[in-house]
Amino acid sequence: MKTHTHYITINTNKRVDFVRLTPKIQEIVDKSNIKEGIVLVNPMHITASIYINDNEQGLIKDYQEWLEKLAPKDKDYHHHLTGEDNGWSHLWRTVMGREVTVAITKGELDLGPWEEIFYAEFDGQRNKKILVKVLGA
Amino acid sequence: MKTHTHYITINTNKRVDFVRLTPKIQEIVDKSNIKEGIVLVNPMHITASIYINDNEQGLIKDYQEWLEKLAPKDKDYHHHLTGEDNGWSHLWRTVMGREVTVAITKGELDLGPWEEIFYAEFDGQRNKKILVKVLGA
Amino acid sequence: MKTHTHYITINTNKRVDFVRLTPKIQEIVDKSNIKEGIVLVNPMHITASIYINDNEQGLIKDYQEWLEKLAPKDKDYHHHLTGEDNGWSHLWRTVMGREVTVAITKGELDLGPWEEIFYAEFDGQRNKKILVKVLGA
């Protein structure tokens, strides 16, 4: 069994941002030389999400309006008593999920035709790390 | 380390449907001859979900009413500007999650007594694929 | 490839409760003697969740108020026709997610500085099991 570990550093211009990661993850899988297995991708921060869905700007707007409805930014969260103002960021990340595990088949990310790996940032404008762990043979 | 890859094709009669997959996934694990490891199950489409919960028809109704409340079907989603009418399907799948990873112990899916693997379709009535990747020894 | 399987038994005093698991999971990884790989952690029950987020009591209160808003306890769920009164517990667990997969690097859980593994119980006061499956080399 082989493993390969890679850390991506990311710093978004906007506090809330969506970044397509698919080509970068394929590149890391290529470097790992693992042909059959899985790759785990997760943010190392708790106000960001890795998820898989469509690379379509309308949907990305829908996500933001919908998350705002489910967990409004301007609510007085208990978490804000710590001095933070990102209670909503933790809840948004909870809806979108922390991580994805993607199969690798014949050296390629085994994704459907519209599946794209995204990094969703909900408290950006500073350096954040993403962990990519490849496992297989 | 061994791996085994299988694609299930599914076509539901209804646009929204829930299909219990547990026996089919166990069958694939049996064929893989993997006794200790994990199995990753994910749809290859972005308007469907693999999740684990109760095989109980009341709960399945509750899920549908609840998802409709969280993300109504008749809203004008930005995503619909592409010509699609499935904005809600993407959001429902986001709530329910994309994938599950299940442990395999002594050749069996290591599930609790009420845990059942489900495929939830939110934009069906056409062929969809599900990826099953088994990994272990 | 090595694997290691461990079952944790937990019984919370309160029906809804949040228990930090990180040190216990690291201990199990230590025992497995696996230095590079992954650990899958999932409840074996369908009204509980394993998730990763902040070890901060304000946020834990926010989670409970938010889940109550998304899926109120006192609603007449279809699931209650079975005699159960935990329809909301199934929905809360769906929002929070079932499982986490955590990378292991050089024998350590490869977590960011604020990432903590939590068990969230939504129908407790009885024995529940958590599955920990370690996989790697």
Side-chain angles (χ1 to χ4, degrees):
Chain A
M1 204 209 59
K2 290 190 291 192
T3 62
H4 179 75
T5 310
H6 187 92
Y7 304 93
I8 300 169
T9 301
I10 202 161
N11 189 330
T12 59
N13 289 326
K14 292 183 283 179
R15 190 164 186 196
V16 173
D17 211 352
F18 289 72
V19 182
R20 182 173 162 257
L21 289 185
T22 322
K24 181 70 186 165
I25 306 302
Q26 180 63 54
E27 199 184 284
I28 296 165
V29 170
D30 291 347
K31 267 190 209 147
S32 77
N33 219 19
I34 287 171
K35 301 301 181 192
E36 292 292 325
I38 53 169
V39 53
L40 168 71
V41 190
N42 66 264
M44 303 188 78
H45 301 261
I46 53 190
T47 51
S49 176
I50 302 285
Y51 75 92
I52 287 180
N53 216 304
D54 207 354
N55 181 21
E56 201 278 300
Q57 290 307 311
L59 181 66
I60 287 172
K61 266 195 216 174
D62 287 322
Y63 272 133
Q64 293 175 70
E65 293 181 8
W66 178 62
L67 291 165
E68 173 65 31
K69 200 187 72 175
L70 296 182
K73 284 180 187 164
D74 66 359
K75 199 179 166 292
D76 279 335
Y77 294 100
H78 296 289
H79 184 52
H80 295 177
L81 295 172
T82 61
E84 296 280 0
D85 65 349
N86 62 4
W88 57 277
S89 314
H90 292 273
L91 304 186
W92 288 27
R93 127 48 180 276
T94 302
V95 175
M96 297 302 289
R98 171 182 179 259
E99 78 215 14
V100 297
T101 304
V102 179
I104 301 162
T105 305
K106 297 179 188 163
E108 303 286 327
L109 294 171
D110 203 342
L111 294 170
W114 302 100
E115 284 193 300
E116 295 276 356
I117 306 169
F118 270 89
Y119 174 72
E121 173 64 79
F122 302 130
D123 193 15
Q125 297 170 320
R126 54 195 172 99
N127 275 353
K128 299 280 193 105
K129 282 210 292 186
I130 298 165
L131 169 58
V132 185
K133 190 95 187 182
V134 196
L135 200 104
Chain B
M1 204 209 61
K2 289 190 291 193
T3 62
H4 179 75
T5 310
H6 186 93
Y7 304 93
I8 300 169
T9 301
I10 203 160
N11 189 331
T12 59
N13 289 325
K14 291 184 283 179
R15 190 164 186 198
V16 172
D17 212 352
F18 289 72
V19 182
R20 181 175 163 257
L21 289 185
T22 322
K24 180 69 186 166
I25 305 301
Q26 180 63 54
E27 201 183 281
I28 295 165
V29 169
D30 291 348
K31 268 189 208 146
S32 77
N33 220 19
I34 287 170
K35 300 303 180 192
E36 292 292 326
I38 53 169
V39 53
L40 169 71
V41 189
N42 67 264
M44 303 188 78
H45 301 261
I46 52 189
T47 51
S49 176
I50 302 286
Y51 75 92
I52 287 179
N53 216 304
D54 207 354
N55 182 21
E56 200 278 300
Q57 291 307 310
L59 181 66
I60 287 172
K61 266 194 216 175
D62 288 322
Y63 272 133
Q64 292 176 69
E65 293 181 7
W66 179 62
L67 290 166
E68 173 65 30
K69 201 187 70 175
L70 296 183
K73 283 181 188 163
D74 66 0
K75 199 180 165 295
D76 280 335
Y77 293 100
H78 296 290
H79 184 53
H80 294 178
L81 294 173
T82 61
E84 296 280 1
D85 65 348
N86 62 4
W88 56 278
S89 313
H90 292 273
L91 304 186
W92 288 28
R93 126 53 179 272
T94 301
V95 175
M96 298 301 290
R98 172 183 178 257
E99 78 214 14
V100 296
T101 303
V102 179
I104 302 162
T105 305
K106 296 178 188 163
E108 303 286 327
L109 294 171
D110 202 342
L111 294 169
W114 302 101
E115 284 193 301
E116 296 277 357
I117 306 169
F118 271 89
Y119 174 72
E121 173 62 80
F122 302 130
D123 193 17
Q125 297 170 320
R126 54 196 172 98
N127 275 354
K128 299 280 193 107
K129 283 209 292 186
I130 298 165
L131 168 59
V132 186
K133 190 96 188 182
V134 197
L135 201 105
Chain C
M1 204 208 61
K2 290 190 291 193
T3 62
H4 179 76
T5 309
H6 186 92
Y7 304 93
I8 300 169
T9 300
I10 203 160
N11 190 330
T12 59
N13 288 327
K14 292 184 283 179
R15 190 165 186 196
V16 172
D17 212 353
F18 290 71
V19 183
R20 181 174 163 256
L21 289 185
T22 322
K24 181 68 186 164
I25 305 302
Q26 180 63 53
E27 201 184 282
I28 296 165
V29 169
D30 290 348
K31 267 188 208 147
S32 76
N33 219 18
I34 287 170
K35 301 302 181 192
E36 293 291 327
I38 53 169
V39 53
L40 169 71
V41 190
N42 67 264
M44 303 188 78
H45 302 260
I46 53 189
T47 51
S49 177
I50 303 285
Y51 74 93
I52 287 180
N53 217 303
D54 206 356
N55 182 21
E56 201 278 301
Q57 292 307 309
L59 181 66
I60 287 172
K61 266 195 215 172
D62 287 322
Y63 272 133
Q64 292 176 70
E65 292 181 8
W66 178 62
L67 291 166
E68 174 64 32
K69 201 187 72 175
L70 297 183
K73 284 181 187 163
D74 66 359
K75 199 180 166 293
D76 279 336
Y77 293 99
H78 296 288
H79 185 53
H80 295 177
L81 295 172
T82 61
E84 296 280 0
D85 64 349
N86 62 5
W88 56 278
S89 315
H90 292 273
L91 304 186
W92 289 27
R93 122 60 177 271
T94 302
V95 176
M96 298 301 289
R98 172 183 178 256
E99 78 215 14
V100 295
T101 303
V102 179
I104 302 162
T105 304
K106 296 178 188 165
E108 302 286 326
L109 294 171
D110 202 342
L111 294 170
W114 302 100
E115 284 193 299
E116 294 277 356
I117 305 169
F118 270 89
Y119 174 74
E121 174 63 81
F122 303 129
D123 193 16
Q125 297 169 321
R126 54 197 171 98
N127 276 353
K128 299 280 193 105
K129 283 210 291 188
I130 298 164
L131 169 57
V132 186
K133 190 96 187 180
V134 196
L135 201 104

